[in-house]
Amino acid sequence: MSQYQINQSEKFRCPWCLGFEDYIKYHDEEWGVPVYSDKVHFEFLVLESAQAGLSWSTILKKRDGYRKAFADFDYKKVADFPESMVQELLQDKGIIRNKMKIEAAINNARQFMEIQANVGSFTSYIWDFVNGKPIDNQLKSAQDAKATTAESDKLSKDLKAKGFKFLGSTTIYAHMQATGLVNDHLLQCFRHQEVKRMIR
């Protein structure tokens, strides 16, 4: 029995992560942690855009495959992928073999670097949409969680205007939750206070 299964009965967690060990590990270690690394933001943008229409568990299971396929999420290398790489990735069973999503990841790497060139870092750009501080939604139950917000609408619209693809408001809100721009851990979840203490 893993530490996550053992601890499951000892701590209160957000209900969405229960029943799947990788979900619990992801919830306990990553979800909601404020991200200030451009590379990590790019990783989540690739994974979140790949999730569109699928479950997050499917993407988590293929995360290592994505890491290998997309040069350890090195956006500079991904931005330089030639058209032939798209065909190669379409044969890669380690990722979601969807041509539009693969092309979007490569395109988004290029747009990502455009933002860096114009703003200095993607981190500065994205955190500006929440005024540099995580939005704590103080959720009392899973039913209180939203799929989109005014902030995700605004961010998604701006990214789309900048040429990004497969990053609608729902996908972007999931990105904001994952990277700590919002704290959507339930108030009674043990991680709610832990991630609050990680704010710079």
Side-chain angles (χ1 to χ4, degrees), residues 2-5 7-8 13 16-33 56 60 63-64 67 185 190-191:
S2 76
Q3 62 172 317
Y4 300 101
Q5 291 171 318
N7 291 341
Q8 187 170 334
R13 291 175 169 85
W16 63 261
C17 77
L18 303 179
F20 174 43
E21 186 173 332
D22 286 349
Y23 256 12
I24 297 173
K25 185 175 187 294
Y26 171 68
H27 170 275
D28 287 6
E29 298 180 3
E30 294 185 82
W31 196 70
V33 173
W56 185 241
L60 278 183
R63 193 175 190 177
D64 286 340
R67 184 171 287 110
H185 283 283
F190 81 99
R191 285 292 282 173

Side-chain angles (χ1 to χ4, degrees), residues 38 42 45 75-76 78-80 103-123 125 158-167:
D38 276 15
F42 180 69
L45 286 176
Y75 45 84
K76 294 180 181 178
V78 175
D80 283 337
E103 290 177 335
I106 298 171
N107 168 77
N108 291 349
R110 295 166 183 163
Q111 308 313 319
F112 189 93
M113 292 178 67
E114 280 292 316
I115 288 179
Q116 288 180 320
N118 293 328
V119 181
S121 73
F122 186 85
T123 294
Y125 163 79
D158 196 68
L159 288 169
K160 184 177 180 180
K162 287 177 166 57
F164 283 76
K165 298 178 180 178
F166 268 90
L167 293 176

Side-chain angles (χ1 to χ4, degrees), residues 76-96:
K76 294 180 181 178
K77 291 181 179 178
V78 175
D80 283 337
F81 278 5
E83 176 61 30
S84 59
M85 182 62 81
V86 175
Q87 298 305 317
E88 184 177 326
L89 292 175
L90 282 171
Q91 308 305 315
D92 190 337
K93 295 181 180 179
I95 65 171
I96 303 301

Side-chain angles (χ1 to χ4, degrees), residues 1-2 34 40 52 64 67 70 85 93 97-98 103 105 116 123 132 135 155 169 171 178 187 198-199:
M1 183 176 290
S2 76
V40 176
D64 286 340
R67 184 171 287 110
F70 289 92
M85 182 62 81
K93 295 181 180 179
R97 292 180 288 177
N98 178 300
E103 290 177 335
Q116 288 180 320
T123 294
I135 296 171
L155 176 53
S169 187
T171 299
L187 283 171
M198 297 177 186
I199 301 170

